[in-house]
Amino acid sequence: MITSTSDPRPADFADVRATNLAVVLRFVRGHAPCSRADIAASTGLNKATVSSLVADLIDRRLVRETGLTENRVGRPATMLVLDGSPYAAIGIEVNVDYITAVAVDLSGERLLSWRRSFPGAAGTAGQAMSTVAGIVRRVVTRMAKEERQVLGLTVGVPGLIGTDGTVRIAPNLGWRDADLCGDLTKALRDPGFPVQVDNDANLAALAEHRFGPHAGTANLVYLTGEIGVGAGVILDGRLRRGGQGYGGEIGHIQLDPFGAECRCGRLGCLEAVAGIGAVLEHAAVSPAEVEDELDEVVRLARAGDARTLALLGAVGHNLGKGVALMTNLLNPEVIILGGYYVPLAPWLLPSAEAEARGRTIAPETGGCRIVASTLGYGAAALGGAARVLDSVDSGRLPRVS
Ligand SMILES: [Zn+2]
């Protein structure tokens, strides 16, 4: 007999139960309203097991009966939908010039959405952590008033995040080795829900994958268009982080060895020649300033100002080079441009698409569409909440209270 120490241990009953609860929950999320018989037929679980699992999910107030019946031959069935009214998932994005907070319920309904100016680059990681902790306390208080239990919090940061939630390097914020997750958990005095920290592009990709018009697309890339540029990569339906979680840093691939200096200290990085900084004339620091300047750029572009159109065309070409890197390497079905790229998309996309088509070896850019995000500036924060919901969907269910 051949044995191996890597043989899987037999799963214990609790593991199997949690896995099956997650299977049923995901089915209801994807197919509601649906009956217990539908769940049994589609999942292969027997009817008695499904009934027991559904009863458990109803006890946890994750699923509820609607009383609707299917109009078909046979006994009318009680239909099930997601409940989740007693729950909230929180996402926060800390960026160079703003902080966004979002809370959603289990079905993804937006419960609150806040955005405020934040001088991230001017302060320390500790100051940012205190500000975030203050915002989290306010969100939690608000959720408590609505009698909602917080399922978890994910904070998005534009930087390299270690698997333990430490911000290793956030070049645009000037942070290094900041234990944001640990410090935030301490500042919140063990809040009773999991706190996680993730890269902003990863979270925005999760938001698109769960909530956006391209939700469910198996191969999707989200490109942040903030002061920095990063990619969140979903392949075969899963977020890909790489060995230590540092993948997707397309913003620091050199496009031009003689190009503008990047905030990382190198020359001609994609974010230096195709980021928002390459569009704006002044180094704006607050989102209000950036948005004011962008409004002016959009106004000039609409008016057909030749200099503005040439500038946007050039930035679009550089962006297209970055897009081609991804289409050649990953063959995504869609690349979604986020953040400040969104209002500029009508002028960036034509040259970006032309450049990407010319540089991608597969015909028609490998079938990849380049589109502007519709999730707005809160995409990464929304993705923070999506990551919490992902973890519930994969079996980390709230306890019955
Ligand atoms: Zn760089």
Side-chain angles (χ1 to χ4, degrees), residues 251-252 262-264 266 269 271:
H252 300 285
C262 181
R263 290 201 195 201
C264 75
R266 299 170 182 85
C269 290
E271 77 175 42

PDB file of all heavy atoms in Angstrom, residues 251-252 262-264 266 269 271, ligand 1:
ATOM      1  N   GLY A 251       1.396  49.078 -12.690  1.00  0.00           N
ATOM      2  CA  GLY A 251       1.735  50.505 -12.667  1.00  0.00           C
ATOM      3  C   GLY A 251       3.220  50.760 -12.659  1.00  0.00           C
ATOM      4  O   GLY A 251       3.683  51.839 -13.050  1.00  0.00           O
ATOM      5  N   HIS A 252       3.996  49.781 -12.209  1.00  0.00           N
ATOM      6  CA  HIS A 252       5.445  49.993 -12.111  1.00  0.00           C
ATOM      7  C   HIS A 252       6.215  49.165 -13.128  1.00  0.00           C
ATOM      8  O   HIS A 252       7.394  48.852 -12.928  1.00  0.00           O
ATOM      9  CB  HIS A 252       5.914  49.762 -10.673  1.00  0.00           C
ATOM     10  CG  HIS A 252       5.224  50.703  -9.738  1.00  0.00           C
ATOM     11  ND1 HIS A 252       5.562  52.040  -9.655  1.00  0.00           N
ATOM     12  CD2 HIS A 252       4.146  50.534  -8.937  1.00  0.00           C
ATOM     13  CE1 HIS A 252       4.731  52.646  -8.809  1.00  0.00           C
ATOM     14  NE2 HIS A 252       3.869  51.748  -8.359  1.00  0.00           N
ATOM     15  N   CYS A 262       8.624  58.339 -11.699  1.00  0.00           N
ATOM     16  CA  CYS A 262       7.481  57.781 -10.971  1.00  0.00           C
ATOM     17  C   CYS A 262       7.674  58.032  -9.476  1.00  0.00           C
ATOM     18  O   CYS A 262       8.786  58.231  -9.007  1.00  0.00           O
ATOM     19  CB  CYS A 262       7.411  56.275 -11.257  1.00  0.00           C
ATOM     20  SG  CYS A 262       6.044  55.434 -10.447  1.00  0.00           S
ATOM     21  N   ARG A 263       6.574  57.978  -8.720  1.00  0.00           N
ATOM     22  CA  ARG A 263       6.690  58.156  -7.266  1.00  0.00           C
ATOM     23  C   ARG A 263       7.478  57.028  -6.613  1.00  0.00           C
ATOM     24  O   ARG A 263       7.912  57.148  -5.473  1.00  0.00           O
ATOM     25  CB  ARG A 263       5.308  58.218  -6.637  1.00  0.00           C
ATOM     26  CG  ARG A 263       4.574  59.493  -6.991  1.00  0.00           C
ATOM     27  CD  ARG A 263       3.491  59.713  -5.969  1.00  0.00           C
ATOM     28  NE  ARG A 263       2.555  60.711  -6.455  1.00  0.00           N
ATOM     29  CZ  ARG A 263       1.751  61.398  -5.654  1.00  0.00           C
ATOM     30  NH1 ARG A 263       1.776  61.197  -4.360  1.00  0.00           N
ATOM     31  NH2 ARG A 263       0.928  62.271  -6.145  1.00  0.00           N
ATOM     32  N   CYS A 264       7.649  55.910  -7.325  1.00  0.00           N
ATOM     33  CA  CYS A 264       8.428  54.800  -6.772  1.00  0.00           C
ATOM     34  C   CYS A 264       9.924  55.059  -6.951  1.00  0.00           C
ATOM     35  O   CYS A 264      10.754  54.292  -6.457  1.00  0.00           O
ATOM     36  CB  CYS A 264       8.040  53.475  -7.429  1.00  0.00           C
ATOM     37  SG  CYS A 264       8.673  53.273  -9.096  1.00  0.00           S
ATOM     38  N   ARG A 266      11.512  55.189  -9.913  1.00  0.00           N
ATOM     39  CA  ARG A 266      12.000  54.729 -11.214  1.00  0.00           C
ATOM     40  C   ARG A 266      11.496  55.657 -12.318  1.00  0.00           C
ATOM     41  O   ARG A 266      10.687  56.544 -12.072  1.00  0.00           O
ATOM     42  CB  ARG A 266      11.527  53.283 -11.452  1.00  0.00           C
ATOM     43  CG  ARG A 266      12.065  52.301 -10.406  1.00  0.00           C
ATOM     44  CD  ARG A 266      11.400  50.932 -10.505  1.00  0.00           C
ATOM     45  NE  ARG A 266      11.903  50.031  -9.477  1.00  0.00           N
ATOM     46  CZ  ARG A 266      11.436  49.966  -8.236  1.00  0.00           C
ATOM     47  NH1 ARG A 266      10.453  50.754  -7.860  1.00  0.00           N
ATOM     48  NH2 ARG A 266      11.955  49.128  -7.358  1.00  0.00           N
ATOM     49  N   CYS A 269       7.558  54.573 -15.517  1.00  0.00           N
ATOM     50  CA  CYS A 269       6.577  53.539 -15.138  1.00  0.00           C
ATOM     51  C   CYS A 269       5.232  53.853 -15.783  1.00  0.00           C
ATOM     52  O   CYS A 269       4.927  55.014 -16.062  1.00  0.00           O
ATOM     53  CB  CYS A 269       6.366  53.514 -13.629  1.00  0.00           C
ATOM     54  SG  CYS A 269       7.751  52.910 -12.674  1.00  0.00           S
ATOM     55  N   GLU A 271       2.354  54.087 -14.526  1.00  0.00           N
ATOM     56  CA  GLU A 271       1.507  55.071 -13.845  1.00  0.00           C
ATOM     57  C   GLU A 271       2.040  56.495 -13.990  1.00  0.00           C
ATOM     58  O   GLU A 271       1.287  57.445 -13.869  1.00  0.00           O
ATOM     59  CB  GLU A 271       1.244  54.695 -12.378  1.00  0.00           C
ATOM     60  CG  GLU A 271       2.353  54.936 -11.412  1.00  0.00           C
ATOM     61  CD  GLU A 271       1.899  54.632  -9.965  1.00  0.00           C
ATOM     62  OE1 GLU A 271       1.198  53.625  -9.759  1.00  0.00           O
ATOM     63  OE2 GLU A 271       2.263  55.396  -9.069  1.00  0.00           O
TER      64      GLU A 271
HETATM   65 ZN    ZN B   1       6.929  53.300 -10.499  1.00  0.00          ZN
END
